[in-house]
């Protein structure tokens, strides 16, 4: 009695998976659930507040131990430069707070907040920084030349004081600016994008929250921050990563803090970008528009990944293995060749094997390999 010849399933090309743009990367995890972005947002907020409180307690203890004078609330008065460093650090801790939560609750690589490639693209970041410096520097120079509106003339602090302040700003401002980008253009954009396919629908909420987080000063200042948030969000979506927005934010803040550090009492001021007047906002919006156009120009001349492939959903029913993207049946105990290392086969068909096939090899139910065939069954002739 001869066994019927099993028919090997033909290999098939795997179907291309869906491509996720940056704002949809919260769905990149195979274990994505609708509640993960929402739970992650809550955990990020609570963990950040706890971290900042602990940081402030540590700094207060250090300040008291080092003999800094205290204000009416018992908080050490660190002075303009050290106080600015404390403010920058309290924002910068957002990065070490956020990235583990992306991994543990989002169930995806933490680098997917950086870009669609799963990492920061450093060459692209450097190119964006070099693009932002002349554009924003020119705008900042124009704002410095604006009339002071009756305010007392600013006094130069001197090179030693300016050099110390500038060294501290160069170290801390990039981390502070990147932290804001990771939270607003990164996590919050991707959280909204988990539910909204439209990039604009995902970008607008973070821009509003970004403007509101800086407080309410003047309508012009709020509008300026809103434009900044929308432009940075569009750049993030269009380039597939945070590099362009980090460059814009870092250069902008370095120039703003640098100008403040150059004058006596500049770093002690309580004014923020939310308090800007209309003249400053006009130059700022123009510089943002020029930088956005310059990045778009670069994109037409560089190949940059803008999407990431979605995880492939499992195919077939339970108990089926997958090969070449195609579900194939498991061998079963009564199938010829079970346990002999034979590839999974299709259900047997009735009828004897073709006469030309020759007798089957012992214990396998498969015809002998033709002359010139290799061990894997492929023809070598």
């Amino acid at each position: 009695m001869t066994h019927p010849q099993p028919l090997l399933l033909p290999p098939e090309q795997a179907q291309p998976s869906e491509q996720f743009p940056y704002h949809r990367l919260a769905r990149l995890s195979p274990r994505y659930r609708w509640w993960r972005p929402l739970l992650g947002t809550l955990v990020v907020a609570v963990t950040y507040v706890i971290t900042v409180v602990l940081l402030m307690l540590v700094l207060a203890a250090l300040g008291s131990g080092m003999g800094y004078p205290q204000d009416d609330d018992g908080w050490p008065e660190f002075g303009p430069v050290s106080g600015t460093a404390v403010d920058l650090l309290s924002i910068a801790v957002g990065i070490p707070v956020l990235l583990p939560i992306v991994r543990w609750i989002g169930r995806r690589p933490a680098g997917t907040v950086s870009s669609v490639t799963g990492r920061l693209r450093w060459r692209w970041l450097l190119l964006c920084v070099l693009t932002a410096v002349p554009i924003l520097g020119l705008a900042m120079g124009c704002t410095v030349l604006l009339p002071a509106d009756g305010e007392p003339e600013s006094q130069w602090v001197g090179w030693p004081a300016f050099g110390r302040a500038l060294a501290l700003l160069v170290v801390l401002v990039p981390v502070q600016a990147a932290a804001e980008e990771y939270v607003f253009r990164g996590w919050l954009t991707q959280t909204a994008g988990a539910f909204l396919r439209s990039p604009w629908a995902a970008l607008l909420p973070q821009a509003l929250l970004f403007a509101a987080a800086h407080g309410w000063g003047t309508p012009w200042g709020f509008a300026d921050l809103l434009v900044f948030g929308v432009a940075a969000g569009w750049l993030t979506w269009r380039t597939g990563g945070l590099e362009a927005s980090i460059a814009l934010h870092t250069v902008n803040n370095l120039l703003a803090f640098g100008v403040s550090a150059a004058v006596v009492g500049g770093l002690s001021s309580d004014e923020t970008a939310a308090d800007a007047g209309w003249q400053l906002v006009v130059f700022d919006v123009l510089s943002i528009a020029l930088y956005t156009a310059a990045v778009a120009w670069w994109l037409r001349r560089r190949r940059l990944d803008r999407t990431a492939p979605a995880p492939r959903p499992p195919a077939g029913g339970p108990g089926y293995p997958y090969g070449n993207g195609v579900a194939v049946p498991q061998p079963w105990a009564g199938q010829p060749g079970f346990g002999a290392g034979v590839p999974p086969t299709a259900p047997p068909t009735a009828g004897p094997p073709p006469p030309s096939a020759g007798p089957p090899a012992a214990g396998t139910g498969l015809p002998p390999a033709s002359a010139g065939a290799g061990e894997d069954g492929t023809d070598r002739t």
Side-chain angles (χ1 to χ4, degrees):
M1 177 179 178
T2 59
H3 293 289
Q5 177 189 4
L7 302 177
L8 296 177
L9 290 178
E12 299 182 13
Q13 293 287 341
Q15 295 296 322
S17 60
E18 179 185 0
Q19 295 292 313
F20 281 152
Y22 179 86
H23 70 290
R24 301 281 286 170
L25 292 188
R27 289 177 168 266
L28 197 63
S29 169
R31 300 180 64 180
Y32 169 78
R33 299 294 183 272
W34 66 268
W35 48 266
R36 289 191 183 278
L38 301 179
L39 175 62
T41 301
L42 177 62
V43 174
V44 166
V46 172
T47 307
Y48 175 74
V49 170
I50 294 174
T51 304
V52 170
V53 170
L54 292 176
L55 175 65
M56 292 302 172
L57 291 176
V58 171
L59 292 175
L62 288 175
S64 299
M66 296 174 67
Y68 281 96
Q70 297 182 350
D71 58 18
D72 296 337
D73 298 325
W75 177 255
E77 295 182 346
F78 291 104
V81 176
S82 299
T84 300
V86 171
D87 294 339
L88 296 175
L89 280 174
S90 67
I91 299 174
V93 295
I95 292 180
V97 166
L98 175 66
L99 295 184
I101 294 173
V102 176
R103 181 69 178 176
W104 297 337
I105 297 181
R107 309 301 295 180
R108 57 189 172 103
T112 55
V113 186
S114 300
S115 76
V116 295
T117 64
R119 58 180 178 82
L120 272 179
R121 298 164 292 188
W122 291 100
R123 287 188 178 182
W124 174 240
L125 176 61
L126 178 60
L127 178 61
C128 291
V129 168
L130 295 177
T131 303
V133 167
I135 296 174
L136 273 65
L138 179 62
M140 183 62 68
C142 293
T143 59
V144 170
L145 298 177
L146 290 174
D149 294 334
E151 296 181 2
E153 185 177 352
S154 301
Q155 297 181 2
W156 165 247
V157 297
W159 283 111
F162 178 70
R164 290 191 298 269
L166 188 62
L168 181 143
L169 294 173
V170 168
V171 172
L172 293 181
V173 166
V175 187
Q176 169 262 330
E180 292 191 22
E181 294 306 308
Y182 270 91
V183 171
F184 290 97
R185 260 63 70 183
W187 176 266
L188 291 179
T189 296
Q190 291 179 348
T191 297
F195 306 97
L196 304 169
R197 286 186 174 273
S198 167
W200 287 109
L203 297 178
L204 289 177
Q206 62 81 23
L208 287 169
L209 290 172
F210 175 75
H214 287 76
W216 180 263
T218 65
W220 291 102
F222 187 87
D224 185 29
L225 290 165
L226 186 62
V227 169
F228 186 99
V230 171
W234 183 86
L235 287 168
T236 300
W237 167 77
R238 182 66 179 82
T239 62
L242 293 174
E243 297 88 356
S245 64
I246 290 175
L248 173 64
H249 204 152
T250 299
V251 174
N252 178 82
N253 284 15
L254 273 175
L255 291 173
F257 277 109
V259 170
S260 297
V263 300
V264 175
L267 291 177
S268 301
S269 174
D270 294 330
E271 291 187 356
T272 67
D275 302 306
W278 71 267
Q279 301 96 329
L280 189 148
V281 170
V282 167
F283 285 105
D284 198 37
V285 170
L286 285 175
S287 66
I288 293 171
L290 285 174
Y291 173 77
T292 304
V295 171
W297 183 83
W298 278 119
L299 285 175
R300 290 196 294 269
R301 286 153 178 80
R302 294 177 61 91
R303 184 185 178 278
L304 206 63
D305 291 330
R306 295 180 50 202
T307 58
R312 186 177 302 281
Y320 279 69
Y322 308 95
N324 297 324
V326 181
V328 293
Q330 287 261 29
W332 62 95
Q335 179 183 6
F338 177 80
V342 180
T345 60
T349 57
S356 60
T364 65
L366 291 177
S370 60
E375 294 180 358
D376 58 356
T378 57
D379 197 350
R380 305 300 189 199
T381 59

